Amino acid sequence: MAMQLAGVDFTSAPSRRKPITVAFGKVADDGSLVVLETIVEHVDFRSFSEWLRTPGPWLAAFDFPFGLPRELVESLGWPRQWLPLMHHYTGLSRAEIVATFRAWCAARPAGGKFAHRGCDAGSGASPSMKWVNPPVAFMLHAGIGLLLEAGVHLPRLHDGDRQRVALEGYPGLIARELIGRRSYKSDTRSKHTPERRAARAELVAGLEHGRSRLGLRLSLTDAQRSALVDDGSADRLDAALCMMQAAWAAGQAGYGLPDVVDLLEGWIVGAKPEAVC
């Protein structure tokens, strides 16, 4: 059975207006072409959790952090093994998380308020302890709990069902490579500008022509291309970007995770190992 690929644009508060968006695809026979098959939206955690339990084989890249910075964890005296740390973290309320992180940041010097993971610098990702703009700390809090409850396999971090594999993705890693730091999305409708649409069009073209570090081309129908370009929130496009990261990982030994991964922090698939501090 061919492996199903998926990319997940995640939100910590799914709704009809802002669903969890999942792009599904497969690698074509020549190994360099990734075919987008369909995009599915989950308006609540219940339906998303049901999909996580779908029998494999499948491999998915999820757009939320899989770990916390070691510096932060050790400073707070939290567990120094990944699974106990995640159980501790998901057992906190969001209010407790914000209070803890805000107090920690307040004691830090200007310009160094947040702690970072080893993969942040090379990927441009936000610190996984950030609770606003974007609230990735809440995404970690909600997402990891769902993955653990579903019993999926998280390579190098947690042993689960190896027919259902979850990796940490980050669409910004590929987007910045193709269009630089140009903004291509907004959740605010009034900010769905022609400039952002043009950036999405250029980004999609870059994926179709295989211009990213992944060395893979994205195959789209005309309707799919229009759907990715016209979506001002870019939830569909971000899901497709994560799907491309999953496709790349599927063709790499050990899913492309470098030997130097900090097993407390996790790693963004496709990020360059030399980014490690």
Side-chain angles (χ1 to χ4, degrees), residues 31-71:
S32 65
L33 187 68
V34 183
V35 180
L36 177 63
E37 295 179 309
T38 188
I39 295 179
V40 176
E41 295 180 343
H42 297 276
V43 300
D44 53 40
F45 287 140
R46 179 191 57 77
S47 65
F48 180 65
S49 295
E50 289 174 357
W51 169 69
L52 289 175
R53 290 169 170 79
T54 302
W58 56 255
L59 170 64
F62 297 76
D63 180 20
F64 62 81
F66 280 17
L68 291 165
R70 177 173 291 275
E71 179 187 8

Side-chain angles (χ1 to χ4, degrees), residues 1 10 50 73 98 158 160 164 171 180 190 196 202 225 229 232 253 255 257 264:
M1 181 185 296
F10 190 76
E50 289 174 357
V73 172
V98 172
H158 178 66
R164 296 177 294 136
S190 63
R196 286 192 171 98
E202 184 176 331
R225 184 181 304 106
V229 172
Y255 304 106
L257 298 174
L264 189 64

